[in-house]
Amino acid sequence: MKIRSQSFFFIFFISIIFNILASPTLQRDALLEFKNEFPFDASDPYAPSEPPLSSWNTSSDHCSWNGVTCDANSSEVISLVLEYTYLNGSLKANTSLLKLQHLQNLTLYSCDLIGEIPFSLGNLSHLKHLNISDNNGLTGEIPSSIGNLSYLSFLDLSHNDLVGKIPSSLGNLSRLTVLDLSDNRLIGEFPSSIGNLNQLTIISCYSNKLNGTLPSSFSNFNKLSYLLLTGNKFSGGDLPLILSNLTSLSYLDISVNHFKSKLPSNMSGLHNLEVFRVNTNSLIGTFPTSLLTIPSLREISLSENQLEGPLEFGNTSSSSSELEVLDLASNNFYGPIPEDISRFPKLEFIDLSNNSFIGPIPRSMPQLVSLKYLDLSYNKLDGQVPSFLWRLHTLTLSHNSFSSFEEDVVNGSDPDLMSSNSFQGLSKVDISSNSLQGSLPGWICKCTSLSFLDLSNNLLSGSIPSCLVNCTASLGYILLRNNSLSGFLPDIFTNATELRSLDVSRNQLSGKLPKSLINCTSMEYLNLKVNKFKDTFPSWLGSLGSLSVMFLGSNAFYGPISSHFGFPSLRIIDISHNNFNGTLPQDYFVNWPEMSSMVGNEYYELSDGIDTFMSRMGGLSYEDSMDMMYKGVDTEFQQILYVFKAIDFSGNKFTGRIPKSIGLLKELRQVNFSRNEFTGSIPSSLANITNLEALDLSHNKLSGNIPRDLANLSFVSYLDFSHNLLQGPVPRSTQFQRQHCSSFEDNLGLYGLEDICGRSQTPGDTQESEEFSPEESEEVLNWIAAGIAFGPGVFCGLVIGYIFFTSHKHQFFTEKFGRNGIKTVR
């Protein structure tokens, strides 16, 4: 009886304590204490104009405060939801939130929290919903105490800076339906205990550093609707078992991992599936035709895997009638593109690039009336380019063997196709690197929304049509290089204010440059090389404030160059192999700010496609490529390496002294004044160009000594002083000693060459060697492989090109326009 009485009083005492803790005043005070844990600093430049939580004060009921929800009967705080509230501090281990013992929902979304998640949060035993996401300053590990929150159904710790492994204690959260740990720096594998969470409907752990294998217990998640693991390092797991059992799945994204597996042979049981995204892994096998039996499927992305075989869509009666996206790029599929691709009438996006498909474009493809994006590049397709394609938004057919455009478009025999409305949506056209013949098609002039046109590396002839003026107002890129186009460059640039890149190099264009180019105020890249242009130097282009790269080489330009022109953004200029003449004033290079400044000297590394699937969906890309003779092997280089600053004045008729002001251009990597008639001494100011990698002064009439200070140019890999009137000692340094003997030949007054010419191949030596023969050395041109990238989502480049090797030798590969050396794909 006494024991029963003591138990009664204990329970009564505890109830009094809880009632006191739950009293409205104490609940209010706990919230105010929490507010005071984050003092407001008005001097903080990131602070809002007024203090956060300003509505929290004693003049009003705490249940009416912003973000606070109370129980209607007891006034206990059951929900605290703070979003975009500038707390700018850390959660304390003894935070006043612990006094809100009936709290069921705690959301601190994008509150600028810093520090670690306190272990003590595991004491909020009534929590059902915990969201502490999007706080970039939140660090540390996920506290294992969260596994004590037995009522928790929603856990979101995404978009923070959390580290460490996923604690196995999360496997205790048997009521959990949503687990979001994405965009952190978590490592390790999923704990095996994760398989206990059979109520999960969403798992999102993308953009972490998780690795290893997926536990087979993932197959227990028969209620799982969303699985997002993209951007990790997972490599294994029984995918056929796991995926086949996720029968409630509607959205799957395990892309950008290292999975090495086959896909399930039968996925028809995933009858709710809408998105199947497994791209950028190492999956093997054939195309999973069972996917196409799922009526709800909207997207299939299998790109960048190792799938192989012919593409077959199966003979099933049911099909994915909702399919909008088919991305099979960068696999090993071969054979023809199936004619029954027309079974999917809602297709908007098709990417079959970088495979080995053959034959023509299917005749049935015009039935895909919703199609907007088509990429069939880097295959072995041939035949005609069908006319229906001009109704698309983005068309990429590059690097195939298409021979012509469909005749009704070329001749305009189809009035419906030739109407302006049929072309108004067309924005990007890339049919470069094919075998297209004939003249430029007239339909181009109908494309009034065209922003990107690339017909380079074909066999097109005739003139550039003047009607192109109809679409130059929207064009950002006109790339027609390496064809057989002739005639004048038409005066079509009056409204071309969006044009950023014009490349008509390696054609047979002639005449003067159109003055309307002065209107191209966005121009960054101008390439007119290897044509027959006959004009004076276009100093008037100096008003184009964005022009960074200008190639005028190998034309018939003539006359002196103005000493006062200024190109404020110019990084690379090539006026080589023309008929320019006269002297260059000593102050000639004074007003070239971009080449003397380190501003903008960033490094770029461009991928050989577009980085993500979503950017491929709508992104615009341009990537320069080049084909170079590399150690005797014709090698294709697809990636732009980095931004060079360079000048090439070679192969002209300049006289007088080389301007001393060249030394002001301290960021130059390449200087070439060869094959002119320069006289006088080599300017010692060249030693100020500390990043210089290649210097060619050969085939001039230079006299005097080689300046000793040039020996201090530590990055120089290529030097050529040959065929001049130089005398005196050759400077001694590692850079000079590594040069070939031919770099100093035909300078009868030079001495100190014993170490260089003693080990190098002599001019008469015909034995096989990795050095150049005399014939090759005469053809050595002076350019560094250079590239430049312009604009978000847009890649633009150029090639001038060199490759150096320096293990007691160097090899300099040069552009020879059809001879041995660099063969540039234009």
Side-chain angles (χ1 to χ4, degrees):
M1 190 71 175
K2 184 177 181 180
I3 293 175
R4 185 177 300 175
S5 175
Q6 288 176 340
S7 299
F8 173 78
F9 282 111
F10 176 76
I11 294 172
F12 178 74
F13 174 76
I14 292 298
S15 66
I16 291 175
I17 294 298
F18 273 109
N19 285 332
I20 292 174
L21 289 175
S23 69
T25 300
L26 292 177
Q27 295 276 291
R28 180 199 65 191
D29 291 345
L31 290 172
L32 291 175
E33 288 177 27
F34 175 74
K35 173 184 175 181
N36 292 331
E37 290 173 14
F38 303 94
F40 178 69
D41 182 4
S43 64
D44 185 343
Y46 299 102
S49 56
E50 62 179 41
L53 306 178
S54 56
S55 68
W56 289 21
N57 55 68
T58 56
S59 64
S60 60
D61 181 8
H62 69 277
C63 294
S64 66
W65 292 353
N66 181 45
V68 177
T69 302
C70 297
D71 181 90
N73 296 320
S74 65
S75 295
E76 297 163 346
V77 177
I78 58 174
S79 176
L80 177 59
V81 178
L82 300 180
E83 298 180 339
Y84 303 105
T85 303
Y86 189 72
L87 298 179
N88 192 32
S90 59
L91 288 169
K92 307 296 187 290
N94 59 345
T95 175
S96 298
L97 292 178
L98 300 175
K99 297 179 181 180
L100 306 177
Q101 278 296 316
H102 291 272
L103 198 62
Q104 298 177 22
N105 179 355
L106 176 59
T107 296
L108 301 174
Y109 172 77
S110 194
C111 291
D112 295 282
L113 291 173
I114 61 176
E116 300 185 359
I117 300 174
F119 190 88
S120 56
L121 279 190
N123 295 327
L124 293 173
S125 57
H126 287 80
L127 273 185
K128 297 179 180 179
H129 185 114
L130 179 58
N131 182 352
I132 316 181
S133 62
D134 200 25
N135 292 279
N136 292 330
L138 205 59
T139 60
E141 299 186 356
I142 300 172
S144 60
S145 61
I146 289 180
N148 299 332
L149 304 176
S150 58
Y151 289 100
L152 203 63
S153 63
F154 182 101
L155 177 60
D156 187 353
L157 303 178
S158 65
H159 305 288
N160 291 303
D161 201 22
L162 301 175
V163 299
K165 296 183 177 182
I166 299 173
S168 60
S169 61
L170 295 189
N172 299 331
L173 305 177
S174 57
R175 291 182 171 89
L176 200 65
T177 60
V178 174
L179 175 62
D180 190 348
L181 305 177
S182 55
D183 195 16
N184 280 286
R185 292 192 291 140
L186 302 174
I187 62 173
E189 302 186 42
F190 275 110
S192 57
S193 61
I194 202 79
N196 300 333
L197 309 182
N198 55 16
Q199 300 300 308
L200 280 172
T201 60
I202 295 176
I203 297 178
S204 179
C205 293
Y206 66 84
S207 296
N208 277 285
K209 299 179 181 180
L210 300 170
N211 56 28
T213 61
L214 292 187
S216 297
S217 57
F218 261 57
S219 59
N220 298 337
F221 299 147
N222 55 18
K223 295 183 179 180
L224 196 66
S225 179
Y226 289 83
L227 178 59
L228 292 84
L229 303 178
T230 186
N232 282 286
K233 299 179 180 180
F234 292 113
S235 57
D238 192 345
L239 290 186
L241 171 67
I242 293 171
L243 296 183
S244 298
N245 283 287
L246 303 183
T247 53
S248 298
L249 204 61
S250 64
Y251 192 107
L252 171 70
D253 189 348
I254 59 171
S255 62
V256 196
N257 277 285
H258 304 298
F259 284 112
K260 299 176 182 178
S261 173
K262 287 187 174 182
L263 293 170
S265 57
N266 187 359
M267 287 183 278
S268 59
L270 306 181
H271 47 80
N272 294 317
L273 192 62
E274 297 182 15
V275 173
F276 187 77
R277 197 175 292 170
V278 297
N279 55 285
T280 319
N281 280 288
S282 298
L283 301 175
I284 60 174
T286 58
F287 178 75
T289 57
S290 62
L291 280 175
L292 299 176
T293 65
I294 303 173
S296 59
L297 196 61
R298 293 185 294 106
E299 177 186 325
I300 297 176
S301 181
L302 297 168
S303 61
E304 298 184 66
N305 279 290
Q306 298 174 20
L307 302 171
E308 59 184 0
L311 181 59
E312 298 176 348
F313 295 141
N315 298 317
T316 55
S317 56
S318 61
S319 65
S320 303
S321 57
E322 300 298 315
L323 192 64
E324 299 173 355
V325 174
L326 180 63
D327 183 7
L328 309 181
S330 301
N331 280 285
N332 299 310
F333 294 118
Y334 56 81
I337 300 172
E339 286 286 342
D340 57 351
I341 196 171
S342 59
R343 285 168 41 190
F344 313 106
K346 292 189 177 182
L347 271 175
E348 297 181 7
F349 178 96
I350 298 177
D351 189 348
L352 305 180
S353 63
N354 285 282
N355 282 285
S356 297
F357 291 111
I358 61 173
I361 293 176
R363 293 188 300 267
S364 65
M365 200 170 275
Q367 299 175 36
L368 301 177
V369 293
S370 299
L371 192 62
K372 295 179 181 178
Y373 304 88
L374 178 63
D375 190 346
L376 303 177
S377 60
Y378 291 93
N379 279 288
K380 301 176 182 178
L381 300 170
D382 55 26
Q384 292 186 324
V385 178
S387 58
F388 84 93
L389 296 176
W390 317 132
R391 72 185 185 211
L392 304 184
H393 177 274
T394 300
L395 173 64
T396 307
L397 302 178
S398 67
H399 296 86
N400 281 286
S401 299
F402 292 109
S403 58
S404 62
F405 297 102
E406 194 170 57
E407 196 166 329
D408 54 2
V409 171
V410 173
N411 296 332
S413 60
D414 189 330
D416 293 330
L417 282 171
M418 289 306 295
S419 68
S420 296
N421 291 336
S422 298
F423 299 90
Q424 283 184 352
L426 190 60
S427 178
K428 175 187 174 181
V429 174
D430 183 356
I431 319 181
S432 62
S433 301
N434 278 279
S435 301
L436 295 173
Q437 302 183 41
S439 57
L440 290 176
W443 55 261
I444 295 176
C445 299
K446 302 284 185 178
C447 303
T448 55
S449 299
L450 197 62
S451 62
F452 185 97
L453 176 65
D454 189 353
L455 297 175
S456 60
N457 302 316
N458 279 290
L459 303 172
L460 296 169
S461 57
S463 60
I464 299 175
S466 297
C467 63
L468 200 60
V469 69
N470 298 333
C471 51
T472 51
S474 60
L475 271 169
Y477 298 84
I478 301 177
L479 310 171
L480 302 175
R481 65 174 178 263
N482 200 24
N483 280 284
S484 296
L485 300 172
S486 58
F488 297 156
L489 181 61
D491 204 10
I492 57 175
F493 303 102
T494 303
N495 298 314
T497 56
E498 300 297 318
L499 191 63
R500 303 176 70 181
S501 180
L502 174 63
D503 190 344
V504 294
S505 61
R506 299 182 181 277
N507 281 285
Q508 300 175 28
L509 299 172
S510 59
K512 295 187 175 183
L513 301 185
K515 294 295 185 181
S516 59
L517 282 172
I518 198 69
N519 299 299
C520 301
T521 53
S522 300
M523 180 82 78
E524 297 174 343
Y525 173 71
L526 176 63
N527 192 349
L528 308 177
K529 284 188 70 173
V530 195
N531 277 286
K532 300 177 181 179
F533 288 111
K534 189 173 184 180
D535 201 351
T536 56
F537 183 79
S539 57
W540 44 275
L541 290 177
S543 63
L544 302 182
S546 298
L547 187 61
S548 297
V549 178
M550 183 168 66
F551 290 161
L552 305 180
S554 300
N555 278 284
F557 288 101
Y558 62 91
I561 294 179
S562 168
S563 61
H564 300 293
F565 81 90
F567 290 82
S569 299
L570 203 63
R571 294 169 177 260
I572 298 174
I573 179 172
D574 177 2
I575 61 172
S576 64
H577 300 281
N578 281 287
N579 294 311
F580 292 119
N581 58 28
T583 60
L584 300 178
Q586 290 300 296
D587 64 351
Y588 185 72
F589 296 107
V590 168
N591 295 316
W592 294 41
E594 185 67 23
M595 295 189 187
S596 60
S597 169
M598 292 188 65
V599 176
N601 201 29
E602 305 90 351
Y603 284 75
Y604 295 88
E605 184 174 342
L606 305 183
S607 64
D608 55 345
I610 307 179
D611 290 335
T612 64
F613 171 81
M614 290 308 295
S615 60
R616 284 205 307 274
M617 285 288 290
L620 184 68
S621 73
Y622 170 64
E623 176 189 322
D624 199 22
S625 62
M626 61 184 178
D627 198 358
M628 300 177 66
M629 192 66 67
Y630 178 73
K631 286 193 175 182
V633 179
D634 199 18
T635 305
E636 186 173 5
F637 293 82
Q638 298 242 352
Q639 293 188 333
I640 299 166
L641 300 180
Y642 49 89
V643 176
F644 268 100
K645 296 181 180 180
I647 63 173
D648 187 353
F649 282 32
S650 65
N652 284 285
K653 299 176 181 178
F654 292 118
T655 59
R657 302 172 70 93
I658 296 174
K660 293 180 181 179
S661 56
I662 187 67
L664 298 174
L665 310 186
K666 297 181 180 180
E667 292 303 309
L668 282 176
R669 305 293 183 90
Q670 162 73 25
V671 173
N672 189 352
F673 287 120
S674 67
R675 298 180 185 274
N676 280 283
E677 298 177 14
F678 286 113
T679 58
S681 59
I682 297 172
S684 58
S685 62
L686 284 167
N688 297 331
I689 310 176
T690 54
N691 288 323
L692 195 64
E693 297 176 0
L695 174 64
D696 192 345
L697 304 179
S698 65
H699 293 86
N700 281 287
K701 299 177 182 179
L702 298 171
S703 59
N705 296 337
I706 299 175
R708 290 183 179 181
D709 289 346
L710 295 186
N712 298 326
L713 296 175
S714 57
F715 292 105
V716 164
S717 298
Y718 177 78
L719 294 167
D720 194 346
F721 300 101
S722 64
H723 304 284
N724 278 289
L725 306 173
L726 299 172
Q727 58 188 4
V730 174
R732 297 189 63 83
S733 71
T734 302
Q735 288 70 34
F736 273 79
Q737 298 304 305
R738 285 178 175 173
Q739 302 305 309
H740 191 273
C741 183
S742 60
S743 295
F744 305 96
E745 67 183 0
D746 195 18
N747 286 283
L748 298 181
L750 283 180
Y751 59 86
L753 290 167
E754 294 80 6
D755 291 342
I756 298 174
C757 293
R759 62 157 176 82
S760 299
Q761 183 180 349
T762 61
D765 194 351
T766 58
Q767 69 180 11
E768 291 189 5
S769 167
E770 291 190 4
E771 304 290 352
F772 284 111
S773 68
E775 291 79 7
E776 289 174 318
S777 65
E778 286 183 5
E779 292 183 341
V780 168
L781 200 64
N782 46 332
W783 275 108
I784 296 171
I788 195 163
F790 302 116
V794 181
F795 304 107
C796 182
L798 56 107
V799 172
I800 317 171
Y802 94 116
I803 291 182
F804 289 119
F805 292 90
T806 55
S807 55
H808 302 294
K809 66 180 182 65
H810 73 264
Q811 295 242 31
F812 198 71
F813 295 88
T814 68
E815 204 171 44
K816 299 181 182 177
F817 315 123
R819 300 184 293 243
N820 293 332
I822 297 177
K823 177 185 177 185
T824 307
V825 179
R826 294 288 186 180

